[in-house]
């Protein structure tokens, strides 16, 4: 009845474990915003998305990877499969799933949506990319746009009739958005004439819907330099005029030849070459970046999920390969006539698989808890609860974006490695996932930017309140693990590492206050690394606790829990100790690369 | 028109199914369940028929409280309402057909669609019993045929097509030597084969709407059906594991083994 075993994308058992054993996602239904939901609706939605991902999206992945969009006659032609896939993705209800009923949504908790969408990303990240971009862009209009924009643009985007993009980057202004030059000139009728160039605009054109709306950062004439002068505009490729759509003078200047995410075009766009490009202001003039930032947190969580999903699908590929590929015999087997054994029986292969498992499931747990705080931050019962969750979400966001991107890349490399020589060929899928993964450390704020954000902004936020809330969360986990009967040394090690990080953070904060900004931020990359290891250790301790609780309940499913405990042991014994070393490095004054002069290279 | 469709709760074939050591059944713990895939095809076909001809799909399941999950699944796909026959004891194929007969007599559908079999015990009997109990025509193993779009296809018919007056149904069936077309007066019983359609994925808006759709509770007693099984399950056992194969040096040895050991030629 069922198709031959193919890649499950993510472990269903693990997703259920994260939702209902590590977290208590059902308890979110006690919040008024989620009162219409229950475990039953969550299960039905997860079932639909994971089946759609496996049955429909996964078989299209390689086709879209090998046949990227083409640029002909000034237009982008995406893979013809998108004509079928996009309406089906829309039909599932993904575009407005988490949004309020008034906005046509279903008020699904982000926690559930995140884990469900991870399946779609793992199956075909490019196809899902159009959905992610459109929902992000439509959400900006929902949050800040005029009623007219909501009627004319947002509702069409949510219905799947138009798609959307985030148009921030310019050739000279990527990480440095303060340098955005695109101009907006008031026309006099409330609209603006837009002129300028954008680059790396994902989904900037396509031929499966009639229009694309670009949420564009531009500078109104006379606005100050820097980020304070930026405003947000909705700029459609075709604009409504007298009840029909006319060309809005947004030209595709070229398509980037990417090494991954090949199904999703990344474009250079020129606005107003013919002097006839109109934009509509979204929100307040001069608040463009602030408005954009609200969505950027969402987008960063989505990038983190993509990182986990891309690492997961490759891990599942490697796991199946290792179980089936016979090669070699145990070192103590002397008889060469004996049949060869599956490579999973070799300890070093299990090391590589366990490392992938630890990264994938640790990352998924981090994304799940960040999503949880996003739900509570938006819909928690009290002001205090919402505020605290918001601080935790802000703190966790750079980690949830960066850990899966950086360590996910390592996991993806291990998936290639497990496949040996075959892994280095395009006959097998892991090479494609490795190419896809690399983007996640670059887009939506590079790892370098995330490190500066974490150390320079997030851990110092609200006079250390975010850090205090994080410390409390870790404390509660250590207590839960102790009660569940988890190896006490693990909780103690986590506590010690946390203490070290808290002290380091105070020192670096003090250095910053004393004006030594360079010394404070010198090791921001190491700080990001050590905080990621710490945060994922926290997620592994809580998973160990939930696994112990599961084992104590008895019955079937012991293997799953034993696997969790082994992965927790692996992470807490081999990764957590690195925190001490990295803390020492941040303190040491080690200054080789800051002292290094360009001419010395 | 009204279409009654079954939605049996079955073990998810992707879970590990183990027989209890005493052979009295299978280990339920840790198993996942789903709607019988053949029934899911039936729900889809019912929805497509009412989309074309108007009417409603009523979905029915028999079992404990947990079968409501499968009913909700069918409601989320688009069925209008559900009937739940609350019964937790043992039940054989005649018991199931007897209960469905009463539900059908009560609901008076134009068509009852069932999966040709359930993937748990693969019996393939209930549809046939039900047609007999009701005294209706039956068309089993309904399969899929090409669309009617081209001239050439016009003489062919889709798998399930209502007669012009909605009084009959034409069904293309998969049989051993090809396809057979039957025309049946309504009301009738149809059972679905694998290739009839590809069931839709329940959408999130559909899932939320399903919450407020009614599920009517009935019992064998309310339906006046005696469900005492006539079939007795003595013991369940896993099939013996397959033995490892051997390599033979040449064709002669192969023929010899087939003739003298396997005794198949």
């Amino acid at each position: 009845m069922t198709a031959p075993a193919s890649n499950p994308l993510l472990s269903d058992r693990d997703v259920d474990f994260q939702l209902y054993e590590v977290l208590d996602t059902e308890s979110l239904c006690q919040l008024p915003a989620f009162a219409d939901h229950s475990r039953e609706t969550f299960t039905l939605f997860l079932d639909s998305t994971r089946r759609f991902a496996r049955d429909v999206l996964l078989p299209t992945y390689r086709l879209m990877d090998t046949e990227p969009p083409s640029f002909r006659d000034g237009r982008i032609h995406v893979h013809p499969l998108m004509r079928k896939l996009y309406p089906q993705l829309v039909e599932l209800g993904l575009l407005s799933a988490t949004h309020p009923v008034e906005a046509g949504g279903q008020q699904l908790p982000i926690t559930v949506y995140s884990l469900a969408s991870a399946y779609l990303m793992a199956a075909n990240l490019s196809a899902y990319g159009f959905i992610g971009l459109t929902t992000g862009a439509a959400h900006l209009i929902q949050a800040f746009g005029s009623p007219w924009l909501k009627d004319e643009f947002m509702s069409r985007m949510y219905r799947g009739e138009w798609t959307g993009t985030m148009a921030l980057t310019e050739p000279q202004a990527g990480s440095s958005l303060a340098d955005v030059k695109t101009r907006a000139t008031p026309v006099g009728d409330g609209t603006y004439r837009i002129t300028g160039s954008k680059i790396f605009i994902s989904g900037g054109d396509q031929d499966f819907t009639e229009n694309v709306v670009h949420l564009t950062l531009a500078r109104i004439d006379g606005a100050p330099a820097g980020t304070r002068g930026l405003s947000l505009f909705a700029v459609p490729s075709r604009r409504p005029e007298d009840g029909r759509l006319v060309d809005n003078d947004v030209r595709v200047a070229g398509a980037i030849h990417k090494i991954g995410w090949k199904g999703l075009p990344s474009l250079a766009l020129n606005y107003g070459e013919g002097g006839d490009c109109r934009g509509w202001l979204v929100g307040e003039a001069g608040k463009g970046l602030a408005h954009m930032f609200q969505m950027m947190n969402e987008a960063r969580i989505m990038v983190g999920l993509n990182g986990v999903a891309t690492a997961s699908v490759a891990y599942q590929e490697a796991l199946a390969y290792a179980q089936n590929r016979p090669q070699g015999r145990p070192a103590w087997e002397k008889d060469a006539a004996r049949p060869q054994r599956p490579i999973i029986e070799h300890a070093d292969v299990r090391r590589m698989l366990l490392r992938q498992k630890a990264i994938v499931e640790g990352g998924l747990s981090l994304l799940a808890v960040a999503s949880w705080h996003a739900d509570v931050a938006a819909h928690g019962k009290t002001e205090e609860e919402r505020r605290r969750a918001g601080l935790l979400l802000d703190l966790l966001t750079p980690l949830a974006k960066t850990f899966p991107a950086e360590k996910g890349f390592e996991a993806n490399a291990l998936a290639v490695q497990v496949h040996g020589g075959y892994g280095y060929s395009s006959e097998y899928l892991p090479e494609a996932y490795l190419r896809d993964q690399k983007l996640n450390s670059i887009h939506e704020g590079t790892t370098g930017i995330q490190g500066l954000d974490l150390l320079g902004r997030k851990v110092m936020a609200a006079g250390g309140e975010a850090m205090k809330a994080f410390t409390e969360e870790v404390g509660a986990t250590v207590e839960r693990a102790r009660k569940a009967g988890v190896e006490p040394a693990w909780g103690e090690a986590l506590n010690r590492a946390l203490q070290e990080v808290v002290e380091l953070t105070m020192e670096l904060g003090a250095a910053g206050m004393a004006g030594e900004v360079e010394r404070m931020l010198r090791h921001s990359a190491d700080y990001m690394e050590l905080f990621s290891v710490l945060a994922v250790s926290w997620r592994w301790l809580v998973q160990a606790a939930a696994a112990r609780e599961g084992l104590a309940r008895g019955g079937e499913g012991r293997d799953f829990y034993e696997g969790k405990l082994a992965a927790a042991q692996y992470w807490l014994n081999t990764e957590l100790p690195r925190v001490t070393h990295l803390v020492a490095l941040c303190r040491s004054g080690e200054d080789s690369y800051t002292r290094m002069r360009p001419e010395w290279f | 028109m009204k279409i009654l469709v079954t939605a049996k709760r079955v073990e998810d074939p992707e879970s590990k199914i183990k027989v209890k050591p005493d052979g009295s059944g299978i280990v339920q713990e840790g198993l996942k369940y789903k709607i019988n895939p053949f029934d899911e095809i039936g729900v889809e076909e019912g929805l497509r028929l009412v989309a074309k001809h108007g009417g409603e799909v009523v979905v029915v399941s028999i079992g404990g409280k947990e079968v409501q999950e499968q009913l909700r699944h069918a409601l989320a796909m688009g069925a209008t309402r559900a009937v739940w026959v609350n019964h937790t004891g043992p039940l054989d194929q005649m018991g199931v057909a007897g209960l469905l007969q009463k539900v059908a007599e009560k609901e008076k559908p134009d068509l009852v669609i069932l999966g040709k079999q359930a993937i748990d015990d693969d019996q393939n009997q209930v549809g046939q019993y039900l047609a007999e109990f009701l005294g209706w025509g039956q068309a089993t193993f309904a399969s899929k045929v090409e669309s009617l779009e081209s001239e050439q296809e016009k003489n062919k018919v889709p798998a399930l097509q209502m007669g012009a007056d909605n009084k009959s149904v034409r069904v293309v069936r998969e049989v051993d030597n090809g396809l057979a077309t039957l025309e049946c007066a309504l009301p009738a019983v149809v059972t679905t084969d694998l290739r009839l359609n590809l069931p839709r994925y329940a959408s999130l808006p559909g899932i939320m709407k399903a919450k407020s759709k009614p599920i009517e509770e009935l019992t064998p007693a309310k339906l006046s059906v005696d469900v005492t099984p006539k079939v007795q399950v003595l013991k369940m056992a896993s099939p013996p594991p397959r033995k490892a194969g051997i390599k033979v040096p040449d064709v002669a040895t192969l023929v010899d083994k087939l003739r003298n050991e396997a005794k198949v030629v």
Side-chain angles (χ1 to χ4, degrees), chain A residues 1-2 12-13 16 35-38 40-42 44-45 47-48 50-52 54-56 88 91-94 96-98 106 108 554-556 559, chain B residues 12-14 16 18 27 29-30 32-35 37-38 40-41 68-69 72-73 76 119 194 199-211:
Chain A
M1 184 68 218
T2 45
D12 291 353
R13 181 66 188 87
D16 281 356
D36 279 349
H37 283 277
S38 60
E40 190 178 68
T41 60
F42 299 163
L44 284 168
F45 181 65
D47 277 353
S48 271
R50 55 171 60 126
R51 281 175 65 191
F52 182 80
R54 287 173 188 150
D55 302 350
V56 181
Q88 284 182 284
E91 175 76 32
L92 282 175
L94 300 170
S96 53
T98 58
Q106 307 293 339
L108 184 71
E556 297 289 308
D559 288 353
Chain B
D12 187 330
E14 279 168 36
K16 277 185 194 143
K18 278 191 291 191
V27 181
E29 207 190 335
K32 283 194 146 193
Y33 292 85
K34 62 191 286 187
I35 183 170
F38 288 105
E40 195 180 12
I41 291 169
Q68 290 189 24
E69 288 172 25
R72 286 278 175 227
H73 179 130
I119 59 159
L194 186 58
R200 69 194 64 192
Y201 300 87
S203 71
L204 184 56
I207 291 165
M208 299 312 287
K209 264 186 223 138
K211 283 177 69 83

Side-chain angles (χ1 to χ4, degrees), chain A residues 536-560:
Chain A
V536 173
S537 300
W538 163 50
R539 296 325 292 162
W540 270 113
L541 188 67
V542 74
Q543 292 185 77
R548 276 271 163 242
E549 290 157 8
L551 284 170
R553 285 192 298 272
E556 297 289 308
R558 287 191 68 91
D559 288 353
F560 176 80

Side-chain angles (χ1 to χ4, degrees), chain B residues 60-63 82-87 99 102-104 106-107 215-223:
Chain B
V60 54
S61 193
I62 305 168
V83 175
W84 164 38
V85 182
N86 186 352
H87 174 74
L99 290 170
K102 293 294 170 154
V103 173
K106 186 167 168 298
E107 289 286 340
I215 296 182
E216 183 191 357
E217 182 183 346
L218 296 170
T219 58
K222 270 192 210 163
L223 292 166

Side-chain angles (χ1 to χ4, degrees), chain A residues 130-149:
Chain A
F130 288 104
I131 291 284
L133 288 161
T134 302
T135 193
H139 198 182
L140 272 173
I141 301 179
Q142 185 186 319
F144 306 110
S146 65
W148 185 85
L149 278 178

Side-chain angles (χ1 to χ4, degrees), chain A residues 548-593:
Chain A
R548 276 271 163 242
E549 290 157 8
L551 284 170
R553 285 192 298 272
E556 297 289 308
R558 287 191 68 91
D559 288 353
F560 176 80
Y561 295 126
E562 293 293 352
K564 281 288 176 192
L565 290 170
Q569 177 193 331
Y570 170 79
W571 195 263
L572 293 163
N573 282 350
T574 69
E575 282 291 318
L576 184 57
R578 294 179 52 233
V579 170
T580 301
H581 162 71
L582 290 163
V583 165
L585 197 55
C586 290
R587 277 200 178 118
S588 65
E590 206 300 308
D591 64 349
S592 50
Y593 48 80

Side-chain angles (χ1 to χ4, degrees), chain A residues 318 351-352 355-356 409-419:
Chain A
R351 173 189 65 80
M352 292 189 280
R355 185 159 182 81
Q356 290 175 71
F409 188 71
E410 194 191 323
N412 279 100
L414 286 169
V416 171
Q417 188 75 17
V418 167
H419 282 71

